[in-house]
Amino acid sequence: MDKFRMIFQFLQSNQESFMNGICGIMALASTQIYSAFDFNCPCLPRYNLAYGLGILLVPPFILFLLGFVLNNNISMLAEEWRRPRGQRRKDPAVLRYMFCSMAQRAMIAPVVWVSVTLLDGKCITCAFCTSVPVETLGNASHPGLSQGDIKRVLARIPCKEIYDGQELIANEVAVRYLRCISQALGWCFVLLMTMLAFLVRSLRPCFTQAAFLKSRYWSHYIDIERKLFDETCTEHARSFAKVCIQQFFESMSTDLVAAHCHLPRKDPEDAGEATEKLLGITDWDTMNTALKSWHRCKPALNLHPPALPTGNGWAGEGQPPVHPPVPQKEMAAYYSWV
């Protein structure tokens, strides 16, 4: 149990690295799921497009939501967004920063899925096989085939075993044409996502450095404040339970003594320490009131710091220096000397 506790504490202290590892695992899992997935195109004109685009877009959406679910900060973001204003104002820039940070990690697995799917080409081949330019790649003047029959024949291109339109267009030609387009889209998508990630990670702090630093600082503060509050509540609950259990056994000991069962009675050594950790909150209603007050009206972020020195370039710049008052006796001596 100690080893598991140490691992859990390490993951909590390195939450950012832990979430990056989770995103990497999800990306690898998405590729494994796609490779193990048995892709079966229906080869019907009305269903090919829906099936192909569904396989291309629905799993990435699920992986995107799963990335938010596995992120521990999603509940913190929702709590900060929905909490009452109270004595502490809510900064939309901090909420946007927290959401963008989570969205960037959650986008990794969907991007990998879409990239692998486009580079493989099966989904595009299934979805757009009825749009193959027969005039360019095949025999558009095939006798005895209407437009509906041509669509039906083209819809069977992904199913090589039942394809019967070699006289209209060769199966290999159509598959190579669609796969070439799919791979071109895949590499364009990879390039676009790489450039977008570069711009977001590298150039955004350069243009809004001050706002970026403030948003990052206060997002870290909210995270640390929540962890410390949970730790304080855990310690208070442990002390509360310890005092309740001690009082229960003391009452049982008193009842046994009253029943002429003389048992040795020993005062607990840490009873006073546990009572001190309760901080005066020693009943159900008071604890519930304290928790509701923390949610409804968090304390203002104003710790009354000491006055900052002036004239150093970062506080009080451009203001005249403030001199201490001169005592009256010294003023009178000065004027008498003059």
Side-chain angles (χ1 to χ4, degrees):
M1 292 298 295
D2 295 336
K3 293 182 178 179
F4 287 108
R5 189 180 296 108
M6 292 176 59
I7 294 175
F8 181 72
Q9 292 176 355
F10 173 78
L11 295 178
Q12 280 188 331
S13 60
N14 299 272
Q15 186 176 6
E16 185 173 359
S17 300
F18 173 68
M19 291 309 304
N20 291 335
I22 289 294
C23 294
I25 292 174
M26 288 183 59
L28 294 176
S30 64
T31 59
Q32 294 296 323
I33 292 173
Y34 180 80
S35 61
F37 177 71
D38 188 12
F39 187 87
N40 291 316
C41 185
C43 297
L44 296 173
R46 296 182 180 179
Y47 301 102
N48 282 11
L49 182 62
Y51 183 82
L53 294 182
I55 297 300
L56 179 65
L57 300 178
V58 173
F61 180 72
I62 297 175
L63 292 172
F64 181 73
L65 294 181
L66 190 61
F68 276 100
V69 171
L70 295 178
N71 198 318
N72 295 329
N73 294 330
I74 185 64
S75 58
M76 180 179 64
L77 176 62
E79 179 183 350
E80 183 66 18
W81 178 47
R82 294 294 301 171
R83 71 170 175 83
R85 182 182 178 90
Q87 298 181 6
R88 183 185 303 180
R89 66 185 183 90
K90 294 187 286 187
D91 191 355
V94 177
L95 298 178
R96 286 195 300 268
Y97 175 83
M98 295 169 62
F99 177 79
C100 292
S101 299
M102 289 186 289
Q104 290 174 15
R105 294 188 175 94
M107 283 291 293
I108 296 177
V111 167
V112 171
W113 177 277
V114 174
S115 302
V116 172
T117 305
L118 290 176
L119 293 175
D120 184 61
K122 293 180 181 178
C123 290
I124 297 298
T125 302
C126 178
F128 299 100
C129 58
T130 57
S131 302
V132 173
V134 182
E135 299 83 1
T136 306
L137 302 177
N139 183 17
S141 61
H142 190 277
L145 289 179
S146 61
Q147 285 297 116
D149 294 334
I150 292 176
K151 293 291 185 182
R152 180 184 57 82
V153 173
L154 294 178
R156 296 180 179 179
I157 289 177
C159 307
K160 187 179 297 185
E161 61 277 3
I162 63 173
Y163 181 68
D164 55 356
Q166 293 292 342
E167 297 179 358
L168 180 65
I169 184 174
N171 181 272
E172 189 66 22
V173 173
V175 170
R176 284 179 178 271
Y177 172 78
L178 293 172
R179 184 167 295 177
C180 176
I181 295 177
S182 179
Q183 291 179 353
L185 292 175
W187 285 116
C188 291
F189 180 76
V190 171
L191 178 62
L192 178 63
M193 290 295 104
T194 304
M195 293 298 297
L196 184 61
F198 171 76
L199 293 176
V200 170
R201 300 289 292 180
S202 301
L203 299 183
R204 184 186 64 176
C206 298
F207 292 102
T208 57
Q209 183 67 22
F212 177 76
L213 291 176
K214 289 189 294 185
S215 301
R216 185 171 61 178
Y217 175 86
W218 289 115
S219 66
H220 291 335
Y221 172 83
I222 294 173
D223 185 21
I224 294 173
E225 183 187 54
R226 184 188 183 189
K227 291 179 181 178
L228 292 177
F229 182 77
D230 292 341
E231 293 176 2
T232 305
C233 289
T234 302
E235 185 66 25
H236 188 277
R238 183 179 294 108
S239 302
F240 204 151
K242 184 181 296 185
V243 173
C244 287
I245 294 173
Q246 289 172 353
Q247 291 180 356
F248 170 76
F249 280 103
E250 287 177 0
S251 63
M252 291 296 297
S253 177
T254 304
D255 295 340
L256 291 175
V257 170
H260 306 288
C261 296
H262 300 283
L263 298 176
R265 183 176 180 180
K266 183 179 180 181
D267 295 333
E269 298 179 356
D270 54 347
E273 181 181 358
T275 305
E276 291 179 358
K277 292 182 178 179
L278 293 179
L279 303 176
I281 303 177
T282 56
D283 61 274
W284 176 285
D285 295 331
T286 307
M287 190 66 220
N288 290 340
T289 303
L291 295 176
K292 291 179 181 178
S293 299
W294 175 261
H295 172 69
R296 294 177 179 176
C297 188
K298 288 186 178 181
L301 298 176
N302 186 8
L303 304 181
H304 304 288
L308 299 177
T310 60
N312 55 4
W314 61 274
E317 186 176 0
Q319 298 180 1
V322 179
H323 299 283
V326 182
Q328 295 293 332
K329 293 183 179 180
E330 296 183 3
M331 290 292 296
Y334 172 76
Y335 285 113
S336 63
W337 180 77
V338 174

